[in-house]
Amino acid sequence: MEEQATVTAADIARIAGVGRAAVSNWRRRYGDFPPPVGGTASSPFFSLDAVEKWLRERGKPVEISLGDRIWQRLRNLGDDLALGDRVGRVGSYLSRRHTWSFSPRYDDAELLELLDRFADERGAREAYEFLCERYVEAHSRQLSVTAGPVAELMSRLVGPAPGVVLDPACGLGTLLLASGGTRLLGQVDDPATSCIAAHRLLLAGADMEMYGADALSMDSYEGVLADTVVCDPPFNEREWGYDELVGDPRWVYGQPPRGEPELAWVQHCLAHVKPGGLVAIRMPPAAAGRRTGRRIRGNLLRAGALRAVVTVGGADLWLLRRPEPGERPPSRVLLLADPSTVEEQWRDHLRGAEVPGAVRIIDLLDEEIDLSPVRYQDRDEHAGEAFLEVRRYFEGIRPELPSLAVSDEKPSFVTIGELLKSGVLTVPESVEEGDVVASPSVPAYVHSGETSAVEPTMSKYRTDPERLDAAFLAGCLRAAGQLAPASSTRIDLRRTRIPRLPIETQRAHGEAFTRLSAFEAALREAAESGLELVRLGLTGLTEGQLRPGTG
């Protein structure tokens, strides 16, 4: 008997285009909602066919893509403990499917046919990336994946890197894919994960090498020197091989303490980069100030190996450069709590220029050797000039309200659902300039056409401009979100009421809505500038760069 395809509550929410809370609500409210067919009480599985039938019977939009059907079929081939192996085998199939000698290890011929269709439609690489994303969602608690923007920033800080790039704790290969290297070397301690990473790189056309073993205890690249190294190692692991690795030749800057495996990863990375080569490694914030690691931090500073510590997304990036023989170490290290300008400052700092945020190393070599950027963020050497500049900008902000008058007119209303049925409003497949975008967490807006993130969970609408003004619709949706109860996790947009108004009146309302949004943005900008003004004033007065007076 063929195994039935199953879905989780998160899968149902994605299929139906709703939030997780809506699925929980359906289970409570409707006695005929399909019961779980597996899983656990906290993470139940439901029959995909039963869920799809239930949704369609209630007129709820259902869109199960080819990729999702493949994912559910793949997931139901076995238990989740071996899911990584199955995803790796799919990568093997997609990367070699046109090789006549390749024989897939699946008995599910229909799955292979679906994979072929999916790869033909979207390309083998994009098809595999889709399945890898689903794999990460399903194992979010077990997998730690470097966020895309962080991976790209790390790669830019050590790049461009046309040569050999190594990631000794590469996970699913995200950092290597972002690096732009011409040869990519990866290692990760889990064989299934290394298989997935290898096929992601192969499908991207990379010249690569991959090993499935722990790099600290079994260094697969012993003696290899890369042009650059990127790394997002596991944090706070107690069993990292401390006893077996005492006196390891990689510990040039000191034996890593038992409770600080991150300092072992730092030295492993430095041991595998060429002299003059750069390393970017993600570190827990505590690593910058723990007393047990102060000796190694001091040695890294004195040797000129540690060049910057930058706080990014709840962690720190340590930027290092392996010293060349006879090279004179720098006198300053860059410590930044705000990463918004790090790229320009980092390039200037590497060239030896004086930049804001660069702290004298001699001032850090005390009993603590604390390199936490937040401790130095207010040491602004140009606070006086910055204060005057921000004050001039702040005084130039002039929010303007639209001209509004009291009205006694009580319009009739129509719902979004009714507008959709009448054809005045449609739901586009992709967002274009002039479409209205809305979600529970983002106020509705008219899309400008510029590249921006539009999440799949966001609602997208296209108006008939002769009958419905887009700015008017966005304003009404914003009002609906503002009036929703504070406890609401999702607004049913189809029930949102829109006033019935002539198109010219709609356009006037739309203009007023647009000006109110501009007023709100100006208020936020003024508030942020005002807070920065206060910070710089406090710093300037304390550091002697400002004094009370006029001007």
Side-chain angles (χ1 to χ4, degrees):
M1 180 177 178
E2 184 179 348
E3 289 284 339
Q4 62 178 325
T6 59
V7 287
T8 64
D11 295 326
I12 296 171
R14 183 170 54 245
I15 290 167
V18 299
R20 287 282 298 273
V23 178
S24 299
N25 188 43
W26 292 342
R27 294 184 65 194
R28 288 193 303 268
R29 288 181 57 192
Y30 301 107
D32 62 341
F33 188 86
V37 296
T40 64
S42 60
S43 182
F45 292 162
F46 305 85
S47 165
L48 174 60
D49 290 341
V51 168
E52 186 176 3
K53 180 182 177 183
W54 187 88
L55 290 170
R56 293 191 187 282
E57 286 176 349
R58 277 150 190 79
K60 300 184 185 298
V62 180
E63 183 177 350
I64 305 178
S65 68
L66 176 59
D68 275 314
R69 291 191 183 278
I70 292 171
W71 170 247
Q72 300 306 334
R73 195 174 192 95
L74 179 65
R75 193 167 188 176
N76 281 274
L77 285 175
D79 60 47
D80 268 15
L81 292 176
L83 183 57
D85 292 324
R86 299 199 295 278
V87 174
R89 285 160 59 192
V90 166
S92 180
Y93 176 72
L94 289 174
S95 63
R96 309 178 194 175
R97 68 192 184 106
H98 294 306
T99 304
W100 67 270
S101 61
F102 176 65
S103 177
R105 294 161 55 192
Y106 282 121
D107 296 327
D108 193 334
E110 185 175 344
L111 174 63
L112 297 183
E113 291 175 7
L114 292 174
L115 284 170
D116 283 336
R117 276 179 51 200
F118 197 34
D120 289 340
E121 288 178 8
R122 298 180 58 166
R125 180 185 180 185
E126 188 177 340
Y128 194 52
E129 288 297 309
F130 176 92
L131 297 174
C132 288
E133 288 174 10
R134 292 289 184 265
Y135 176 62
V136 171
E137 290 174 7
H139 284 63
S140 58
R141 294 183 180 180
Q142 292 81 26
L143 293 170
S144 178
V145 179
T146 311
V150 175
E152 291 167 7
L153 175 62
M154 291 174 68
S155 298
R156 290 196 301 271
L157 291 173
V158 296
V164 178
V165 180
L166 167 68
D167 184 348
C170 70
L172 295 176
T174 302
L175 282 172
L176 289 172
L177 284 169
S179 71
T182 52
R183 179 161 174 75
L184 307 179
L185 310 179
Q187 184 167 352
V188 62
D189 61 356
D190 177 60
T193 303
S194 70
C195 181
I196 295 172
H199 289 107
R200 289 185 75 197
L201 299 179
L202 285 172
L203 287 166
D207 175 14
M208 52 75 63
E209 195 171 339
M210 183 70 61
Y211 292 95
D214 177 66
L216 293 182
S217 59
M218 190 179 297
D219 187 358
S220 299
Y221 295 104
E222 187 173 357
V224 174
L225 297 180
D227 295 293
T228 57
V229 177
V230 288
C231 189
D232 185 356
F235 292 171
N236 304 317
E237 286 201 337
R238 295 295 176 181
E239 302 299 326
W240 59 274
Y242 172 84
D243 294 324
E244 295 80 7
L245 296 174
V246 171
D248 192 283
R250 289 171 291 182
W251 314 151
V252 173
Y253 301 94
Q255 172 70 37
R258 185 184 298 275
E260 295 216 49
E262 297 85 9
L263 292 178
W265 285 106
V266 166
Q267 296 188 78
H268 175 88
C269 291
L270 281 170
H272 279 290
V273 72
K274 294 177 181 178
L278 297 176
V279 172
I281 179 170
R282 195 165 177 265
M283 299 282 280
R290 289 189 189 117
R291 289 188 62 80
T292 52
R294 65 186 185 277
R295 177 170 172 266
I296 293 178
R297 292 195 299 273
N299 289 338
L300 289 168
L301 289 173
R302 292 185 188 94
L306 181 56
R307 295 298 187 90
V309 178
V310 185
T311 300
V312 178
D316 287 341
L317 293 186
W318 285 27
L319 304 176
L320 304 104
R321 181 178 182 275
R322 181 169 177 173
E324 299 189 60
E327 183 178 42
R328 182 178 179 180
S331 61
R332 293 176 180 265
V333 63
L334 190 61
L335 303 177
L336 296 176
D338 179 6
S340 60
T341 59
V342 62
E343 293 182 60
E344 182 179 353
Q345 288 173 269
W346 168 240
R347 300 301 175 198
D348 291 342
H349 176 65
L350 276 180
R351 294 201 310 267
E354 291 191 14
V355 297
V359 180
R360 293 198 311 167
I361 290 175
I362 194 171
D363 293 335
L364 298 170
L365 299 177
D366 52 19
E367 288 299 313
E368 296 182 337
I369 312 183
D370 192 336
L371 308 182
S372 304
V374 69
R375 292 191 60 179
Y376 308 96
Q377 65 179 350
D378 288 334
R379 294 187 180 183
D380 194 331
E381 298 178 358
H382 305 286
E385 294 88 343
F387 176 86
L388 297 178
E389 182 179 343
V390 173
R391 188 178 73 176
R392 286 191 294 270
Y393 177 75
F394 179 78
E395 292 172 345
I397 297 175
R398 294 286 187 270
E400 293 186 9
L401 273 167
S403 177
L404 302 176
V406 175
S407 172
D408 294 327
E409 296 180 9
K410 300 297 182 184
S412 60
F413 292 88
V414 62
T415 66
I416 292 288
E418 291 169 335
L419 290 172
L420 287 167
K421 287 181 181 179
S422 69
V424 174
L425 203 59
T426 57
V427 177
E429 292 186 3
S430 58
V431 179
E432 297 179 358
E433 181 179 359
D435 290 343
V436 175
V437 180
S439 80
S441 58
V442 178
Y445 64 94
V446 179
H447 194 65
S448 65
E450 297 179 1
T451 302
S452 61
V454 178
E455 300 295 334
T457 55
M458 290 181 172
S459 298
K460 301 171 279 290
Y461 299 113
R462 182 167 300 161
T463 66
D464 177 347
E466 298 303 319
R467 294 189 287 172
L468 182 60
D469 182 70
F472 169 69
L473 174 63
C476 292
L477 291 174
R478 285 200 64 181
Q482 177 179 284
L483 296 174
S487 60
S488 175
T489 57
R490 181 170 176 85
I491 304 165
D492 187 350
L493 292 179
R494 289 176 178 260
R495 294 185 179 181
T496 301
R497 300 195 311 161
I498 308 295
R500 292 180 184 270
L501 299 174
I503 187 62
E504 292 303 324
T505 308
Q506 289 182 35
R507 288 168 182 160
H509 276 63
E511 176 64 24
F513 281 138
T514 301
R515 292 185 66 181
L516 280 171
S517 296
F519 179 77
E520 179 187 36
L523 285 179
R524 293 185 186 280
E525 192 172 357
E528 293 173 0
S529 298
L531 291 173
E532 178 68 0
L533 195 67
V534 171
R535 186 189 74 80
L536 291 169
L538 292 171
T539 301
L541 287 168
T542 303
E543 301 290 336
Q545 297 161 22
L546 292 171
R547 59 178 174 78
T550 59

